[in-house]
Amino acid sequence: MADRSILITGASSGIGAATARALAAPGARLALHARGNREGAERVAEAVRAAGAEAVVLMADLTDPAAPARLVAEAADRLGGLDVLVSNAGFADRTPVAQLTDEAFARSQDTILWALLRLARAAGPILARGRDPRLVAVSSFVAHNFRTDSTVFPASAAAKAGLEALVKALALEWAPAVTVNAVAPGYTQKDAGAHAALDPKAWEAVLTRIPMRRLGLPAEVAEAIAFLASAKAGYITGQVLHVDGGVVV
């Protein structure tokens, strides 16, 4: 990652924070986005700097239609260009369809799917001028998980499924200049004190469906993202890499 400029959305905690730490290296320049948790993003920035990389924290609410383009422009200006975009910001919503309001459904689409589209439209021309440019989006196993014996996340699933389709379309449209891929984490351990989508009893049931018999770690997902963002993944595009311990969906 030396001498590469990297923008990571949702970088204040969880997978985004772990990705920042995984990509931090002497000579790398990282823009760490957060919606409201500036304190968390600043802590991640300190860790990035300790690893020898440069780091700036940028705040934006990606549900604002104009915010993604402003974020990309500011990141490119502060970093001197853009070589890697990691679209990670998102959240889980398990509201059943019968109770799912238009506003709640739209919030998932805005934060996950529309944010990727708006980020990509703004970043595409800049990435095309970058050094070994990459776009990596974070999807989720919930886009594939529709079982009667597990929790379903309708709004999140719809947004993440759309994200995966958009990744494939972008990969085709941007080839050969920019590779575009996604990582789909399974059940992943949350940061201490962070909101959990399931209660403790539900988490116990989840483990019976994971062949590895444990939750994934944010750092394990981050390593997959780091690989797809690296020069080693130069002939991989339009793919969804599942990092889920073999979870049965």
Side-chain angles (χ1 to χ4, degrees), residues 150-249:
S150 66
T151 302
V152 177
F153 296 75
S156 302
K160 294 293 191 179
L163 176 146
E164 291 185 9
L166 182 56
V167 161
K168 293 177 183 293
L170 285 168
L172 180 64
E173 186 171 324
W174 287 3
V178 183
T179 68
V180 185
N181 294 287
V183 168
Y187 293 102
T188 305
Q189 184 173 304
K190 301 293 184 182
D191 290 351
H195 168 73
L198 302 177
D199 59 40
K201 187 174 181 180
W203 280 117
E204 290 179 15
V206 158
L207 295 179
T208 66
R209 292 181 40 227
I210 303 174
M212 297 295 288
R213 293 295 186 268
R214 66 174 177 84
L215 302 181
L217 301 176
E220 292 173 315
V221 181
E223 288 299 331
I225 295 170
F227 166 68
L228 291 173
S230 75
K232 296 178 181 179
Y235 199 54
I236 301 173
T237 197
Q239 304 303 308
V240 179
L241 176 57
H242 292 259
V243 185
D244 58 15
V247 67
V248 180
V249 295

Side-chain angles (χ1 to χ4, degrees), residues 11-208:
S12 63
S13 63
I15 291 170
T19 300
R21 291 189 287 268
L23 296 180
R29 300 174 296 276
L30 280 73
L32 309 177
H33 157 265
R35 181 178 66 88
N37 186 9
R38 176 179 285 276
E39 182 179 353
E42 292 290 357
R43 284 196 298 269
V44 177
E46 290 176 7
V48 167
R49 295 178 190 122
E54 298 177 24
V56 296
V57 171
L58 305 178
M59 306 298 294
D61 182 352
L62 297 182
T63 63
D64 174 358
R70 287 198 302 265
L71 178 65
V72 167
E74 186 175 3
D77 180 62
R78 298 282 297 272
L79 303 179
L82 196 61
D83 306 303
V84 178
L85 168 60
V86 179
S87 182
N88 166 72
F91 64 96
D93 185 344
R94 62 173 179 164
T95 307
V97 172
Q99 284 83 50
L100 188 61
T101 65
D102 288 359
E103 292 76 15
F105 187 80
R107 182 167 174 255
S108 286
Q109 308 308 306
D110 285 343
T111 305
I112 297 167
L113 177 56
W114 278 99
L116 173 60
L117 174 64
R118 291 161 178 156
L119 289 165
R121 282 194 307 223
I126 305 172
L127 286 170
R129 300 191 298 269
R131 179 172 174 265
D132 213 7
R134 306 274 186 264
L135 189 159
V136 184
V138 177
S139 183
S140 172
F141 81 104
V142 301
H144 310 272
N145 178 56
F146 301 97
R147 294 169 52 110
T148 57
D149 62 348
S150 66
T151 302
V152 177
F153 296 75
S156 302
K160 294 293 191 179
L163 176 146
E164 291 185 9
L166 182 56
V167 161
K168 293 177 183 293
L170 285 168
L172 180 64
E173 186 171 324
W174 287 3
V178 183
T179 68
V180 185
N181 294 287
V183 168
Y187 293 102
T188 305
Q189 184 173 304
K190 301 293 184 182
D191 290 351
H195 168 73
L198 302 177
D199 59 40
K201 187 174 181 180
W203 280 117
E204 290 179 15
V206 158
L207 295 179
T208 66

